[in-house]
Amino acid sequence: MPASPAAAFGHNFLGSSPRWYKLSIIAFLVLNPLVLWLLGPVVCSWLLVGEFIFALAMALKCYPLLPGGLLVVEALLLGLATPGAVYEELQHNFPVILLLMFMVAGIYFMKDLLLLLFSRLLLGVRSKALLSLLFCMLAAFLSAFLDALTVTAVIISVALGFYAVYHRVASGKGMCDEHSHDSDNEVAHLHREDLEDFRAFLRSLLMHAAVGTALGGVCTLVGEPQNLLIGHEAGWHFKEFFLRVAPVSMPVLAAGLLTCVLLEKLRWFGYGTELPDNVRQVLADFAREENARRTQAQRLALMVQGAAALLLILCLALHVAEVGLIGLMVIVLITSFNGITDEHQIGRAFQDALPFTALLVAFFAVVAVIQQQHLFSPIIHAVLAMPTEQQPGMLFIANGLLSAISDNVFVATIYITEVKQALAAGNMTREHFDTLAVAINTGTNLPSVATPNGQAAFLFLLTSSVAPLVRLSYGRMVWMALPYTIVMGVLGWWAVSHWL
């Protein structure tokens, strides 16, 4: 334990983050007032944006809310933005906050149904290429109407559950015995090769599904938080958003699914490993036992979840209310008819979404700094000075590159705000604004699969408990995402440049 107050402070500050990371954040906080005094608010604001992006890029070292929040508090103290401006920004983007607060929690209560669906797929399809395609397609479909983080959480739960079942058997333990699946020390030599193949099998399915959430998430108003943000600025409802983005999203979806099949057939980039027969038998036996133990009340609960899912899709398509309010309706219906009355049970549904919601508030505070200091106006003016036909492609590239190293919600917020201001100033037509909005949306969604930093679902997968079990590291994730990044990025840019 730290022996002095200074050592104790260093130990407590940002917790278990590396020492170099803590010193970097402290240096930022010390440097910003000096830069403001010596070079002025514009330079200091640009430095703040770079520091915030650094915090996003280093999300695996420390959750960005903590360093990002410190930077935002300092920016307000230095007068780079006013609390009133931040509050106005939050009011303006309140539908996005509602989405994260209630929709993610609503889908949490459908987890049993989604778990059953993915489990049936895993055991019912023997062709690895077909199984991968179905996982990718199902993740894309669910992410188009639900939430990518929740869909990813379900897939992680499926993979973790099956991994734990087989690891227990491979270690010679019964279902009632104490067992830790974090260590291979007790795994019998006979099962070690099957266990490694099973890990490779699960890695590939997890990556296909994670990419599927990006392929489907770009298509609809509720697929990703930045979609709702862009749709809100553009005034698009669910159907119009889908039709506006379709010239880009549909060809990319088809190409992404084709890439999925080719990777499995060619066995490139770590894909193509089949499920060992011994593992399949163990998992099938376990699934039969679980099905036999399912009670009538549990079956009725699954039916309620299915009915709520259909109602959710219908309400979203007809835009009967704000998306977040529809999510709240789902929470009320499922908990009421499935007997979930305990406050702590309901509260658990909000734990995954609220940290990201708080981080999004920090995003909007940085956006308030950018607006008050007019930081992006020269960039937007430079893009708008280009020939009209070149502007969508350039915005796609700019958004894609920045989204790959930071967070796509942050990038989308910045660019759509600046473009909307250009429209309000009369610097472009409404038709051209719609085209640029599509370019921003697809640019932040498609190339961002390149790294875990860009996609929240990818980062969630990398930081989950299943990643170390199946040996899914940061570098391996980037490598396995590379073919998808190339296909989705290049085709997306081509479609934005030539088909809008």
Side-chain angles (χ1 to χ4, degrees):
M1 293 297 293
S4 66
F9 174 83
H11 177 268
N12 290 341
F13 181 69
L14 299 183
S16 59
S17 303
R19 187 170 182 270
W20 65 265
Y21 182 86
K22 297 180 180 184
L23 292 175
S24 298
I25 300 302
I26 292 174
F28 294 159
L29 296 173
V30 172
L31 181 62
N32 289 337
L34 296 176
V35 172
L36 177 63
W37 179 54
L38 295 173
L39 301 175
V42 173
V43 175
C44 184
S45 298
W46 270 114
L47 182 62
L48 177 78
V49 172
E51 292 164 352
F52 194 83
I53 292 175
F54 171 85
L56 295 175
M58 295 290 108
L60 297 181
K61 306 300 181 185
C62 179
Y63 192 65
L65 173 63
L66 311 183
L70 290 174
L71 292 170
V72 165
V73 169
E74 184 179 57
L76 294 177
L77 292 175
L78 294 177
L80 299 178
T82 63
V86 175
Y87 184 69
E88 289 179 8
E89 193 67 33
L90 295 179
Q91 281 186 312
H92 186 64
N93 294 287
F94 187 60
V96 182
I97 297 174
L98 272 182
L99 166 72
L100 291 173
M101 288 173 58
F102 295 130
M103 183 60 79
V104 176
I107 305 308
Y108 172 86
F109 292 108
M110 297 182 189
K111 188 175 290 187
D112 290 339
L113 177 65
L114 298 175
L115 279 170
L116 178 63
L117 183 60
F118 279 104
S119 300
R120 292 281 175 86
L121 274 181
L122 185 63
L123 294 174
V125 179
R126 288 190 170 269
S127 168
K128 177 63 184 307
L130 179 59
L131 178 64
S132 299
L133 179 63
L134 290 174
F135 257 67
C136 192
M137 289 176 62
L138 188 56
F141 176 78
L142 291 174
S143 296
F145 292 98
L146 306 179
D147 173 75
L149 282 177
T150 304
V151 174
T152 305
V154 170
I155 297 167
I156 289 171
S157 299
V158 172
L160 185 60
F162 280 133
Y163 179 87
V165 168
Y166 180 70
H167 197 277
R168 179 184 297 273
V169 172
S171 301
K173 299 292 184 66
M175 290 301 166
C176 297
D177 297 334
E178 289 289 332
H179 176 66
S180 173
H181 50 251
D182 295 330
S183 172
D184 292 348
N185 292 336
E186 296 179 321
V187 176
H189 182 73
L190 179 66
H191 292 286
R192 287 186 178 271
E193 185 176 350
D194 283 343
L195 181 59
E196 289 303 319
D197 288 342
F198 189 35
R199 282 173 171 148
F201 173 84
L202 290 177
R203 275 199 307 269
S204 59
L205 285 185
L206 287 167
M207 285 301 298
H208 287 312
V211 171
T213 63
L215 290 171
V218 70
C219 298
T220 65
L221 184 67
V222 296
E224 294 284 353
Q226 68 267 24
N227 296 15
L228 189 62
L229 179 74
I230 293 170
H232 176 65
E233 292 289 353
W236 299 337
H237 294 315
F238 191 90
K239 181 180 178 181
E240 184 177 5
F241 185 98
F242 174 81
L243 294 176
R244 293 277 187 185
V245 178
V248 182
S249 61
M250 291 298 102
V252 171
L253 174 61
L257 297 177
L258 178 61
T259 302
C260 173
V261 175
L262 288 177
L263 288 173
E264 288 297 329
K265 292 292 187 181
L266 298 173
R267 303 174 69 90
W268 288 354
F269 294 91
Y271 296 97
T273 304
E274 300 283 346
L275 178 64
D277 292 335
N278 293 334
V279 179
R280 181 183 295 276
Q281 187 60 49
V282 170
L283 300 182
D285 293 342
F286 174 77
R288 279 194 294 270
E289 292 176 11
E290 285 289 296
N291 190 54
R293 287 199 296 264
R294 187 172 289 119
T295 65
Q296 185 64 33
Q298 290 172 326
R299 293 189 179 94
L300 286 174
L302 291 173
M303 294 175 63
V304 170
Q305 293 173 33
L310 293 176
L311 181 62
L312 169 64
I313 294 173
L314 181 64
C315 290
L316 290 174
L318 297 177
H319 195 71
V320 299
E322 282 293 346
V323 176
L325 297 180
I326 296 173
L328 181 58
M329 177 193 69
V330 169
I331 294 173
V332 171
L333 291 177
I334 295 180
T335 53
S336 298
F337 288 97
N338 282 348
I340 303 172
T341 58
D342 184 77
E343 179 182 357
H344 297 291
Q345 283 182 286
I346 297 173
R348 175 65 185 86
F350 293 87
Q351 290 182 16
D352 292 333
L354 287 185
F356 188 73
T357 306
L359 178 60
L360 195 65
V361 172
F363 290 165
F364 292 141
V366 175
V367 171
V369 172
I370 291 172
Q371 288 192 13
Q372 290 210 311
Q373 302 300 329
H374 307 289
L375 299 188
F376 275 62
S377 297
I379 298 176
I380 295 299
H381 293 159
V383 172
L384 297 181
M386 295 179 177
T388 303
E389 63 275 8
Q390 294 180 14
Q391 293 175 17
M394 288 302 300
L395 271 183
F396 181 92
I397 293 172
N399 280 268
L401 291 175
L402 195 54
S403 294
I405 61 171
S406 63
D407 187 273
N408 45 18
V409 179
F410 175 64
V411 177
T413 302
I414 292 171
Y415 277 94
I416 193 63
T417 301
E418 291 292 337
V419 172
K420 182 66 178 289
Q421 289 180 345
L423 173 67
N427 296 329
M428 66 177 69
T429 65
R430 174 67 203 202
E431 182 181 1
H432 188 54
F433 169 82
D434 290 338
T435 301
L436 295 184
V438 173
I440 294 170
N441 180 73
T442 53
T444 54
N445 275 287
L446 299 178
S448 57
V449 301
T451 71
N453 301 337
Q455 284 280 349
F458 276 50
L459 186 60
F460 187 37
L461 172 58
L462 182 64
T463 56
S464 69
S465 56
V466 77
L469 299 178
V470 300
R471 311 299 189 255
L472 186 60
S473 64
Y474 188 100
R476 178 170 270 166
M477 183 176 280
V478 171
W479 174 250
M480 295 182 75
L482 180 60
Y484 282 112
T485 303
I486 295 172
V487 171
M488 295 165 63
V490 173
L491 182 57
W493 171 81
W494 179 265
V496 165
S497 301
H498 297 87
W499 294 345
L500 290 181

Coordinates of all heavy atoms in Angstrom, one line a residue, residues 175-214:
M175 N -21.3 -30.9 -13.6 CA -22.0 -29.6 -13.7 C -22.2 -29.0 -12.3 O -22.4 -27.8 -12.2 CB -23.4 -29.8 -14.4 CG -23.2 -30.1 -15.9 SD -22.4 -28.8 -16.7 CE -22.0 -29.5 -18.3
C176 N -22.1 -29.9 -11.3 CA -22.3 -29.3 -9.9 C -21.0 -29.1 -9.2 O -21.0 -28.6 -8.0 CB -23.2 -30.3 -9.1 SG -24.8 -30.6 -9.8
D177 N -19.9 -29.4 -9.8 CA -18.6 -29.2 -9.2 C -18.1 -27.7 -9.3 O -18.4 -27.0 -10.2 CB -17.5 -30.1 -9.8 CG -17.9 -31.6 -9.6 OD1 -18.6 -31.9 -8.6 OD2 -17.4 -32.4 -10.5
E178 N -17.3 -27.3 -8.3 CA -16.7 -26.0 -8.4 C -15.7 -26.0 -9.5 O -14.9 -26.9 -9.7 CB -16.0 -25.7 -7.0 CG -16.9 -25.4 -5.9 CD -17.6 -24.1 -6.0 OE1 -17.0 -23.2 -6.7 OE2 -18.7 -23.9 -5.5
H179 N -15.7 -24.9 -10.3 CA -14.8 -24.9 -11.4 C -14.5 -23.5 -11.9 O -15.4 -22.6 -11.9 CB -15.3 -25.7 -12.6 CG -14.5 -25.6 -13.8 ND1 -13.2 -26.2 -13.9 CD2 -14.7 -25.1 -15.1 CE1 -12.7 -25.9 -15.1 NE2 -13.6 -25.3 -15.8
S180 N -13.3 -23.2 -12.3 CA -12.9 -21.9 -12.9 C -12.5 -22.1 -14.3 O -11.5 -22.9 -14.5 CB -11.8 -21.2 -12.1 OG -11.4 -20.0 -12.8
H181 N -13.2 -21.4 -15.3 CA -12.8 -21.6 -16.7 C -11.7 -20.6 -17.1 O -11.4 -20.5 -18.3 CB -14.0 -21.5 -17.6 CG -14.9 -20.3 -17.4 ND1 -16.1 -20.4 -16.8 CD2 -14.6 -19.0 -17.6 CE1 -16.6 -19.2 -16.7 NE2 -15.7 -18.3 -17.2
D182 N -11.1 -19.9 -16.2 CA -10.1 -19.0 -16.5 C -8.7 -19.6 -16.7 O -7.8 -19.0 -17.2 CB -9.9 -17.9 -15.4 CG -11.2 -17.0 -15.3 OD1 -11.9 -16.9 -16.4 OD2 -11.5 -16.6 -14.2
S183 N -8.5 -20.8 -16.2 CA -7.3 -21.5 -16.2 C -7.4 -22.9 -16.9 O -8.4 -23.6 -16.7 CB -6.7 -21.8 -14.8 OG -5.6 -22.6 -14.8
D184 N -6.4 -23.2 -17.7 CA -6.4 -24.5 -18.4 C -5.6 -25.6 -17.7 O -5.3 -26.7 -18.2 CB -5.8 -24.3 -19.8 CG -6.6 -23.5 -20.7 OD1 -7.8 -23.3 -20.3 OD2 -6.1 -23.1 -21.8
N185 N -5.2 -25.3 -16.4 CA -4.3 -26.3 -15.7 C -4.9 -27.7 -15.6 O -4.2 -28.7 -15.6 CB -4.0 -25.7 -14.3 CG -3.1 -24.5 -14.4 OD1 -2.4 -24.3 -15.4 ND2 -3.1 -23.7 -13.4
E186 N -6.3 -27.7 -15.4 CA -6.9 -29.0 -15.2 C -7.5 -29.6 -16.5 O -8.1 -30.7 -16.4 CB -8.1 -28.8 -14.2 CG -7.6 -28.4 -12.8 CD -8.7 -28.2 -11.8 OE1 -9.8 -27.7 -12.3 OE2 -8.6 -28.6 -10.7
V187 N -7.3 -29.0 -17.6 CA -7.8 -29.5 -18.9 C -7.0 -30.7 -19.3 O -5.8 -30.7 -19.3 CB -7.7 -28.4 -20.0 CG1 -8.2 -29.0 -21.3 CG2 -8.6 -27.3 -19.7
A188 N -7.7 -31.8 -19.5 CA -7.0 -33.1 -19.9 C -6.3 -32.9 -21.2 O -6.8 -32.2 -22.1 CB -8.0 -34.2 -20.0
H189 N -5.1 -33.6 -21.4 CA -4.3 -33.5 -22.6 C -5.2 -33.8 -23.8 O -5.0 -33.3 -24.9 CB -3.1 -34.4 -22.5 CG -2.2 -34.3 -23.7 ND1 -1.4 -33.2 -24.0 CD2 -2.0 -35.1 -24.7 CE1 -0.8 -33.4 -25.1 NE2 -1.1 -34.5 -25.6
L190 N -6.1 -34.8 -23.7 CA -6.9 -35.3 -24.8 C -7.8 -34.2 -25.3 O -8.1 -34.2 -26.5 CB -7.8 -36.5 -24.3 CG -8.7 -37.1 -25.3 CD1 -7.9 -37.8 -26.4 CD2 -9.6 -38.1 -24.6
H191 N -8.2 -33.2 -24.5 CA -9.1 -32.2 -24.9 C -8.5 -30.9 -25.3 O -9.1 -30.0 -25.8 CB -10.1 -31.9 -23.7 CG -11.0 -33.0 -23.4 ND1 -12.1 -33.3 -24.1 CD2 -11.0 -33.9 -22.3 CE1 -12.7 -34.3 -23.6 NE2 -12.1 -34.7 -22.5
R192 N -7.2 -30.8 -25.2 CA -6.5 -29.5 -25.4 C -6.6 -29.0 -26.8 O -6.8 -27.9 -27.1 CB -5.0 -29.6 -24.9 CG -4.9 -29.6 -23.4 CD -3.5 -29.5 -23.0 NE -3.4 -29.4 -21.5 CZ -3.4 -28.3 -20.8 NH1 -3.5 -27.2 -21.4 NH2 -3.3 -28.4 -19.5
E193 N -6.4 -29.9 -27.8 CA -6.5 -29.6 -29.2 C -7.9 -29.1 -29.5 O -8.2 -28.1 -30.2 CB -6.1 -30.7 -30.1 CG -6.1 -30.3 -31.6 CD -5.5 -31.4 -32.5 OE1 -5.0 -32.4 -31.9 OE2 -5.6 -31.3 -33.7
D194 N -8.9 -29.9 -29.0 CA -10.3 -29.5 -29.3 C -10.6 -28.1 -28.7 O -11.4 -27.3 -29.2 CB -11.3 -30.5 -28.7 CG -11.4 -31.8 -29.6 OD1 -11.0 -31.7 -30.8 OD2 -11.8 -32.8 -29.1
L195 N -10.1 -27.8 -27.5 CA -10.3 -26.6 -26.8 C -9.7 -25.4 -27.6 O -10.4 -24.4 -27.8 CB -9.7 -26.6 -25.4 CG -9.9 -25.3 -24.6 CD1 -11.4 -25.0 -24.4 CD2 -9.2 -25.4 -23.2
E196 N -8.5 -25.6 -28.2 CA -7.9 -24.5 -29.0 C -8.8 -24.3 -30.3 O -9.0 -23.2 -30.7 CB -6.5 -24.9 -29.4 CG -5.5 -24.8 -28.2 CD -5.5 -23.4 -27.6 OE1 -5.6 -22.4 -28.3 OE2 -5.5 -23.4 -26.3
D197 N -9.3 -25.4 -30.9 CA -10.1 -25.2 -32.1 C -11.4 -24.6 -31.7 O -12.0 -23.8 -32.5 CB -10.4 -26.6 -32.7 CG -9.2 -27.2 -33.4 OD1 -8.3 -26.4 -33.7 OD2 -9.2 -28.4 -33.6
F198 N -12.0 -24.9 -30.5 CA -13.2 -24.3 -30.1 C -13.0 -22.8 -29.9 O -13.9 -22.0 -30.2 CB -13.7 -25.0 -28.8 CG -15.0 -24.6 -28.3 CD1 -16.0 -24.3 -29.2 CD2 -15.3 -24.5 -27.0 CE1 -17.3 -23.9 -28.8 CE2 -16.6 -24.1 -26.5 CZ -17.6 -23.8 -27.5
R199 N -11.9 -22.4 -29.3 CA -11.6 -21.0 -29.2 C -11.5 -20.3 -30.5 O -12.1 -19.2 -30.7 CB -10.2 -20.8 -28.4 CG -10.3 -21.0 -26.9 CD -8.9 -21.0 -26.3 NE -9.0 -21.0 -24.9 CZ -8.1 -21.6 -24.1 NH1 -7.1 -22.3 -24.6 NH2 -8.3 -21.6 -22.8
A200 N -10.9 -20.8 -31.5 CA -10.8 -20.2 -32.8 C -12.2 -20.2 -33.4 O -12.5 -19.2 -34.1 CB -9.8 -21.0 -33.7
F201 N -13.0 -21.2 -33.2 CA -14.4 -21.2 -33.7 C -15.2 -20.1 -33.1 O -15.8 -19.3 -33.9 CB -15.0 -22.6 -33.4 CG -16.4 -22.7 -33.7 CD1 -16.9 -23.0 -34.9 CD2 -17.4 -22.5 -32.7 CE1 -18.2 -23.1 -35.2 CE2 -18.7 -22.6 -32.9 CZ -19.2 -22.9 -34.2
L202 N -15.1 -19.9 -31.8 CA -15.9 -18.8 -31.2 C -15.3 -17.5 -31.5 O -16.1 -16.5 -31.7 CB -15.8 -19.0 -29.6 CG -16.5 -20.2 -29.0 CD1 -16.3 -20.3 -27.5 CD2 -18.0 -20.1 -29.3
R203 N -14.0 -17.3 -31.7 CA -13.4 -16.0 -32.1 C -14.0 -15.6 -33.4 O -14.4 -14.4 -33.6 CB -11.9 -16.1 -32.2 CG -11.1 -16.0 -31.0 CD -9.7 -15.6 -31.3 NE -9.0 -16.6 -32.2 CZ -8.4 -17.7 -31.9 NH1 -8.2 -17.9 -30.6 NH2 -7.8 -18.4 -32.8
S204 N -14.1 -16.5 -34.4 CA -14.6 -16.1 -35.7 C -16.0 -15.7 -35.6 O -16.5 -14.7 -36.3 CB -14.3 -17.2 -36.7 OG -15.0 -18.4 -36.3
L205 N -16.8 -16.5 -34.9 CA -18.3 -16.1 -34.8 C -18.5 -14.8 -34.1 O -19.3 -14.0 -34.5 CB -19.0 -17.2 -34.0 CG -19.3 -18.6 -34.7 CD1 -20.1 -19.5 -33.8 CD2 -19.9 -18.3 -36.1
L206 N -17.7 -14.5 -33.1 CA -17.8 -13.2 -32.4 C -17.5 -12.1 -33.3 O -18.2 -11.0 -33.3 CB -16.9 -13.2 -31.1 CG -17.3 -14.1 -29.9 CD1 -16.2 -14.2 -28.9 CD2 -18.6 -13.5 -29.3
M207 N -16.4 -12.2 -34.1 CA -16.0 -11.2 -35.0 C -17.1 -11.0 -36.1 O -17.4 -9.9 -36.5 CB -14.7 -11.5 -35.6 CG -13.5 -11.2 -34.6 SD -13.4 -9.5 -34.0 CE -13.1 -8.6 -35.5
H208 N -17.6 -12.1 -36.7 CA -18.6 -12.0 -37.7 C -19.8 -11.3 -37.2 O -20.4 -10.4 -37.8 CB -19.0 -13.4 -38.2 CG -18.0 -14.0 -39.1 ND1 -17.4 -13.4 -40.1 CD2 -17.5 -15.3 -39.1 CE1 -16.6 -14.3 -40.7 NE2 -16.6 -15.4 -40.1
A209 N -20.2 -11.6 -36.0 CA -21.4 -11.0 -35.4 C -21.2 -9.5 -35.1 O -22.0 -8.7 -35.3 CB -21.8 -11.7 -34.1
A210 N -20.0 -9.2 -34.6 CA -19.6 -7.8 -34.3 C -19.7 -6.9 -35.5 O -20.2 -5.8 -35.5 CB -18.3 -7.7 -33.6
V211 N -19.1 -7.5 -36.6 CA -19.2 -6.8 -37.9 C -20.6 -6.6 -38.4 O -21.0 -5.6 -38.9 CB -18.3 -7.5 -39.0 CG1 -18.5 -6.9 -40.3 CG2 -16.8 -7.4 -38.6
G212 N -21.4 -7.7 -38.1 CA -22.8 -7.7 -38.5 C -23.6 -6.5 -37.8 O -24.4 -5.9 -38.4
T213 N -23.2 -6.2 -36.6 CA -23.9 -5.1 -35.9 C -23.6 -3.8 -36.6 O -24.4 -2.8 -36.6 CB -23.4 -5.0 -34.4 OG1 -22.0 -4.7 -34.3 CG2 -23.7 -6.3 -33.6
A214 N -22.4 -3.6 -37.2 CA -22.0 -2.4 -37.9 C -22.8 -2.4 -39.3 O -23.2 -1.3 -39.7 CB -20.5 -2.4 -38.2

